[in-house]
Amino acid sequence: IMCGLEKVKKEIKDAEIVFGKKHGLTNLIAVSKTKPMEQIKKVINKGQIHFGENRVQEALSKWEVVKRNRKDLKIHLLGPLQTNKVKKVFSLFDYIHSLDRLNLAEKLSREAQEKGYCPKIFVQVNTGKEEQKSGVFPENLYDFINSSQKTYELDVVGLMCIPPINEKPEKHFGLLRDLANDNGLKELSMGMSADYKIAIKYDSTFIRIGTAIFGEREK
């Protein structure tokens, strides 16, 4: 695990230099879904702060105690969020990367008003307009962000995408960057183990790395 984390950190730094990015622009999210806490703790002990989980229930059972003792850790919900899980999300997650529909925005908004705070939110954009994938289509994005921020008063900080598997990621990362600029958003959640260097070239501020840090997923 350790050599994986150090290697990824070094490669991020190198990519920032190669592409002329400000050092430290890219935040590394260690994707810890399905990983046991004893493995994760080794990464925490190396100074890693951002962690990504896909399932609300799994994340709660793993992180609740750890997070109570370590307020500096930031937990990111990367997977889809069902409206019936919204209440649970507020007790743990600092970031939600998967806002993709208005009824979810409304639920988050209600919970935020009740709790008096809100996780930072990324809108998931379906850059490839894939039927089977969630996310807002690019042409609907301006109105969606507008509603999320103005009507529902959510803290939308950026955009997230997962490029289609069979297409070059450059096109999708470039599109997401342009969409973020057009909408005045600073953060970009894009890039995974296979394509994070390309994502850095396109100004990604959060890359999501699991395999390269923790090794292959256990079957």
Side-chain angles (χ1 to χ4, degrees):
I1 288 175
M2 285 312 85
C3 54
L5 180 68
E6 297 311 325
K7 185 167 177 274
V8 171
K9 282 184 167 172
K10 186 186 180 307
E11 287 179 353
I12 290 170
K13 209 171 171 177
D14 292 347
E16 286 176 340
I17 292 166
V18 169
F19 298 123
K21 305 300 173 192
K22 204 171 92 204
H23 172 58
L25 175 82
T26 321
N27 295 285
L28 170 61
I29 301 173
V31 180
S32 49
K33 63 177 184 189
T34 74
K35 300 297 172 197
M37 191 41 84
E38 65 263 24
Q39 250 188 323
I40 296 167
K41 277 188 171 153
K42 292 176 185 166
V43 181
I44 294 174
N45 293 338
K46 281 282 175 192
Q48 177 62 23
I49 286 175
H50 294 277
F51 291 88
E53 294 283 340
N54 264 32
R55 293 164 189 267
V56 176
Q57 248 1 85
E58 183 200 335
L60 285 169
S61 64
K62 265 164 48 176
W63 284 100
E64 249 178 337
V65 177
V66 179
K67 189 91 174 350
R68 221 172 288 146
N69 302 325
R70 285 289 305 268
K71 298 275 187 264
D72 57 322
L73 296 178
K74 304 291 178 203
I75 313 299
H76 298 249
L77 179 63
L78 304 177
L81 175 56
Q82 297 158 320
T83 47
N84 63 351
K85 297 260 167 57
V86 164
K87 275 190 190 312
K88 292 179 173 164
V89 165
F90 274 70
S91 66
L92 179 71
F93 290 97
D94 303 279
Y95 293 81
I96 296 168
H97 288 242
S98 47
L99 175 61
D100 60 355
R101 57 203 190 280
L102 283 177
N103 69 333
L104 179 57
E106 187 193 350
K107 273 268 164 53
L108 287 165
S109 173
R110 256 194 244 151
E111 194 61 24
Q113 282 165 354
E114 221 165 274
K115 294 274 200 302
Y117 66 90
C118 184
K120 292 184 179 350
I121 292 185
F122 288 84
V123 173
Q124 183 170 349
V125 184
N126 190 339
T127 53
K129 298 190 181 183
E130 296 172 277
E131 285 305 320
Q132 78 286 8
K133 208 177 263 180
S134 41
V136 181
F137 281 10
E139 64 268 25
N140 303 329
L141 188 63
Y142 178 79
D143 289 338
F144 185 86
I145 291 170
N146 210 25
S147 296
S148 299
Q149 289 178 326
K150 300 211 162 78
T151 310
Y152 297 117
E153 299 179 344
L154 295 175
D155 187 10
V156 176
V157 296
L159 304 177
M160 183 271 249
C161 78
I162 304 166
I165 290 169
N166 52 356
E167 290 185 25
K168 282 198 158 58
E170 284 87 343
K171 179 175 102 176
H172 298 277
F173 293 161
L175 172 61
L176 201 71
R177 178 177 69 181
D178 293 346
L179 290 168
N181 288 338
D182 292 348
N183 287 282
L185 297 172
K186 296 261 189 303
E187 308 293 349
L188 287 168
S189 168
M190 58 189 196
M192 288 149 78
S193 287
D195 57 16
Y196 66 88
K197 292 174 197 165
I198 302 166
I200 291 171
K201 181 181 179 180
Y202 287 92
D203 299 337
S204 180
T205 57
F206 285 92
I207 54 176
R208 315 181 296 268
I209 309 285
T211 310
I213 295 173
F214 291 103
E216 287 300 326
R217 224 178 291 172
E218 281 152 44
K219 293 284 179 279

